[in-house]
Amino acid sequence: MWKQKFPVRQENKVERRMDVEELVITLAFPYEERLHRGITLPGVYAFLPTEMVTNLPFIIHGDFVLSSSRETILLDNKWNQGILDCVPSAFVNAFISIVKMTENAPVSNLPWMFTFLPINSSSYQNFNAIREAIRLKLVDEEILPSDESCTEQKFFHRPCELGRIMPAFWDIVEKARKEGVGLHNLSSHGTYVLHSSFDIFEYDNILNFLGVGPVNFEWYAKCIQSSNLAFGVSEAIYLELLLFLAENWKNIFHRTNIKNIPIIKYVDQCGYVSLCSITESAQQSHGAMCMSRQFRHALWLIDWNREFRGVANRFFLPESTQEALRSCFKKEIILEWLKNHVHVVAISVYDYAAALVDHIGGNTKLVVAYAHFLYHSISKDFLTAADVRYLCSIMPLVDNYSNVTATTKGKILVPASGSKWASLIGSNPLKAEGYIELGEAYLHRGNFVGQITPAKKLLEFLGSHVAVSDIPSLSPPNAAIPAVSSPLTKENTFLLLDWIRNLKNRGTPIPEKFLTSIKVGNWLKVTINGSSGYKPPAQSFYYSSSWGNILQNGSVFVDIPLIDQNFYGDRISNYREELKTIGVMFEYGEACAFIGKHLMKLASSSISSKDRVLSILGLIRYLRTKFLPPDEFIYSVKEGRWLKTSHGYRPPAGAALFDEEWKTVIQICDVPFIDQTFYGDEILCFKEELALLGVVVGFTFSKSYQLVIENLKPSSCLTSLKADAFLLLLECIRCAKSTERLTQTLKNAKCLKTNLGYKPPSECFLFDYEWGCLLQVFSCFPILENAYYGSIMSSYKNELKRLGVVVDFEVAVKSFVGSFRQQASLSSITKDNVLSFLSCYKKLKRTSHKFPSDLKNCIHEVKWLRTRLGDFRFPRDCILFGPKWKSISSIALLPFIDDSDNYYGKDIHQYRDELKSIGVVVEFERGVKFVPSYLCFPRNTHSIAPQSALSLLKCLGILLEDKNYTFSKAFVSKISEKWLKTNVGYMNPGNSLLFDERSDLKPTDGPFIDEAFYGSEIRMYRKELDSIGVIVDVEKGSTLLASYLDFHSDFATIIRIYKFLAKVEWVSDSETTRKIWIPDGNENGRWVKPDVCVLYDKDGLFGSQYNVLEKHYKNKVPLLFFFGAFGVKSNPSLDDYCKLWKGWETSGHKLSYDECCAFWRFVMQHKSSKNDQILAESLVKVPVDSGSDGIMLVDKRDVFIADDLQLKDLFVRSSSHPLFVWNPQPSLPFLPQTMLFELYIKIGVRLISETVQKKELSLTNGLELKQVNFTNITIGKDLVRLTLSFLAGSSIKMEADKRHEAVQCLLNLTVLETLEPVAVRYTLLFSSGETQEVTATRMVRWDKENSKFFIQKRDKSAGQKNLLEYATYFSEAIAEGVLWGKQDQISSLSELIKLALILKFNKEAIGFLMKSKNLQVFVEDEEFLSNAFPN
């Protein structure tokens, strides 16, 4: 309970409690359950409860004035209002007492007290005002505690000074405090933080009521930065902090300074946990922040990153942080935030290894360490074999010079120490090809991050994944090996053979230079006739005893180097394939070849003697007798040029041994015969051996024709051959496999006899009885003489064809086509050629031969047929004349074939079918396509016969059967000439009409085609006429019909045409048709433009300006036709009316009453802001009423609107000419006076009240003035009170001090009374410069400048009129003086004062008047009045 006394204010006193000086207010605060129940119970007590449920959480008790039912208090009672006005102060005092006076109570006990705050609105407006007043007072009180956990002292602050922090951050703060992190002074960051006991969800409404908002978002950055949250709390709380940031990042924190404070933990290059900001992480200022994709790899990556000293700019979240993340609630949100906003990258061991490669290249220790890293990573299954294979392919290596070099796949040698390649070769054999030798560091034991690598284990690893090579797996260079240029030890010999075996097994090509150096190097130990030595493998033999003795006994035996099998032992026999690869020979045949090559070498060094040749032949015979094949020996010697012939020394193959059988052949060829003179008859004993060597022994055609071809004489020696010689050559062509040289030689020789003499085969034709007639069309083809060669010639068609003779119909046709084209190009194809060709063509059609496309194309593509036009044309462009062409031929120059006696004659018609098949037009229907192109009207188109015109239309009809057919521009141009006869003369189709009896027109009404001339048949060609532009639908020809209107003067005809045009809704689209007939009787009249016509003139004002069509065409033609077709105006427009008015202005015409009404009625009907502007610019004069003589028009600057009747009366009585605008009397419904005056104002007519110049005449010259008390003239307290209430009213709302200043001028007045009238002079200024003055009397004047108020002494017995005049002038003067500068309010105040003055300021009447105007006097105004009127 809280009880408090308040003094009673004067304005709240009521009659029944006038003696009460103090109010006692008691507030009751229900507790716990009663608190919640209290808001539904009565909230107001007046010793007993009322039934008013206030919805406030406390009860108000006071000495309230109750309603008659005692159920409620009187809310509009000023006593009750005084009590209610004190409730906010009482509540605030009680509340502060409750909150602050409990010194020992902990802050956690305070929040429940705030449930007494009236946070819910009431259903009573008065109590809502109390609620708002309480809130406004509380927000300025220090009532809320801040969070100062470092001290037991409670600190209170105003609600606006406190801020709330988010619940999630409160949880972090509380947990951090429990772990000892110093977060005890949260209010030290620029904002007092609301105590946590209050900062919970259930107090949201209370805190919102008090206006407590959240802390600035930058507060969190300051708080986190000033604390040790990242390092001082456990990983679980640290992750809660990250989760808090992640969940609020997008909407809140990404725009704050949090991104710039160190908050992200990572392990640096020395292995220590450090912090970086979110911005630094995102921008990778310290490097990329990473975490392990798999947790079991986390420590491994952190340790190795320390080992590599962070060279890859990759730093990892601590292992403890990563482990905590695995089990963290909402870890997905944190991970997503770390990824997208902190740019923490989840990487695998593979990703890390791949990133390292680009950063370790300059440090040999790190490069070696990297190899150990890969070795141990795959050993622990942290990397797959495929991963390691790729990483090894890109990792750098350290060579034997301690240089770091890039890995080159397959180009790495094991260290020289202990290698096989060094023992065989010595120095690096592949250095030139980019091979590097690994440094010895890869052989040593290693210890990294506690992991031991045994000696040589790393080299084994590299051998598996980097392809580190040694013999025999090493790929040899494409270069000679110096070691094989001298003898090799037995061990190195077998090492070399093992190397070759390995290459062959792998399928690796052995480099040519490498293999050659081995083949030709003197390193292989051999025996020659029992003596030891060293030879190249390519000159050595691995022998067997089966053929050795025979070669020893041969007469031409050559010493052979044999591998020393005693030296190498049995092991050498295991390398037979490898020995073969390096050139060692094994077979008897190879030995024979060796002997042969040796002999050929001797032969090349000197001319072969007779004995040496006979010795070679003898060796072949010896080998045959020993049953050993001599093939290899023969092969080795047969290509040598050691046999002497008639052509010099030659290989045996291609030579011949001469005898009598060769005599006939030598006529056409020159064979190389063996020189029997040199060798003697002894050579004849070796025919079989010569034959084995390739010598031709004895002539047999089947064996020797190829030799004939090879030794053929040149073409210059083969001209004019006899028949048997040429037939022999044809037989050679038939039998030989390769005849190119023979055929080429004969093609260029003039060896064939034809009807045109001896010709080369390529120019000749073999005659064929079926198609040979084609060759006889022209006399230019050389045909073989059948009588000379006999019928056997036809059996050699294929051979002749190979020589170039034309034997096939198709080829002959090509030649014919060429000649045909040539003759046609020269226009040399004669009448006989054509008839011969057509005859042959007819013959060939009866055979099985199909015409080749070349011939068909030639016939169709060449201009070879002569026409009557005197030129040659393509067949498709020619017509064979017939009877149907007779009519059309008179108007079209068609390409008929020239069948005159001077050329083809009538015989050409017997080949009608042949001509048709080659494209000539023989039917009329197919030939009409020529008509449009060849149309040629006579100069005098009037001479075109009807039959010709109808024939032309028939042709067009046939063409139009093809829906896609279109006429050419040339045809359209020709057909557009004036050749069609119409009822108005010869016209072009586009200006012609086809008559339709259904149109209600007559044929003479327009350019209709003359059916009397063409006959009714012309109507059958409606479609054809339409296609050439004739208008066949009369409705579509309405414009054309209209263009001939001015040819008519008969009114009946014109009406008939107008009716038709109206029926089809025709609209004029050109100036030529924009004419309207204005009749003068039936036969006379004139054509006028639509611009000078109107349909209607309702008031008859425009008879002299326009032709009114209603007069001439009413009930004859629909008048709207003229509106739609010609754009004739229905009625005169505003511009027309303005021009009419202008005419009246300049003519001095006096208007009749009806004329003036008609004009202004039109203007009022078309009133708009735009039209008002037009009138203002157009009208110079306006109407004034000048009596019975009519209505005059006077300059609008000298005419006025009588808005002040007193002024009007003054000037009317003093003026000799009209001054005021006309308005109809009585007022007309369509011309209301108010609207007419508004229109006059917009046009430029001035109001008399605004135009007249007012001058107040002096009152000081000789007048007797008497000063009187201003209260005597009603300028007293009542007038000032009434004025103050008006100034405070809703229309002005003037502040108190401004009101008092405004009425002070009334109190400062000096009132002077005179017996004389107070005079005023009014002056009007006209456009001519002249003026007119009138004088009026007023009873009151206020001289503002001198603060003097003049009044004419009033005769109080003068009656009501005098009183009303005085009240009017007085109120106007007072209102104008008080409201100086507020012209819009003067009239209202003047009327108010006038009415009060007439009522003689009766208190009750004035009170009612003020209430009716919603005016009141405020306390401050009453105080002002009390001071101004102390008595």
Side-chain angles (χ1 to χ4, degrees), residues 888-909:
I888 193 65
S889 61
S890 64
I891 58 172
L893 296 176
L894 295 169
F896 295 114
I897 291 176
D898 191 351
D899 55 358
S900 65
D901 294 337
N902 294 330
Y903 218 76
Y904 299 126
K906 300 305 178 184
D907 292 343
I908 194 72
H909 289 274

Side-chain angles (χ1 to χ4, degrees), residues 410 412-414 420 430 435 463 467-476 495 498-500 502-503 506 508:
I412 306 168
L413 298 179
V414 299
K420 294 178 182 179
L430 295 168
Y435 276 75
V468 177
S469 302
D470 195 5
I471 295 174
S473 61
L474 179 65
S475 296
L495 181 59
D498 284 335
W499 193 2
I500 293 171
N502 183 274
L503 292 173
R506 285 190 289 144
T508 302

Side-chain angles (χ1 to χ4, degrees), residues 1218-1287:
L1219 292 177
F1220 298 97
V1221 291
W1222 169 87
N1223 65 289
Q1225 296 295 336
S1227 181
L1228 300 174
F1230 54 82
L1231 276 179
Q1233 179 177 304
T1234 304
M1235 294 180 67
L1236 186 60
F1237 281 177
E1238 287 178 1
L1239 182 58
Y1240 283 147
I1241 292 171
K1242 291 178 181 178
I1243 290 173
V1245 180
R1246 294 173 293 173
L1247 297 171
I1248 186 69
S1249 62
E1250 295 177 356
T1251 309
V1252 71
Q1253 296 178 359
K1254 175 182 175 184
K1255 183 178 180 181
E1256 296 176 334
L1257 300 179
S1258 174
L1259 295 173
T1260 59
N1261 296 330
L1263 289 180
E1264 183 180 348
L1265 298 173
K1266 177 184 177 183
Q1267 183 172 350
V1268 297
N1269 191 328
F1270 58 78
T1271 56
N1272 295 338
I1273 59 168
T1274 66
I1275 304 179
K1277 186 175 182 178
D1278 292 332
L1279 174 62
V1280 176
R1281 177 184 282 109
L1282 181 63
T1283 305
L1284 284 172
S1285 69
F1286 180 82
L1287 296 178

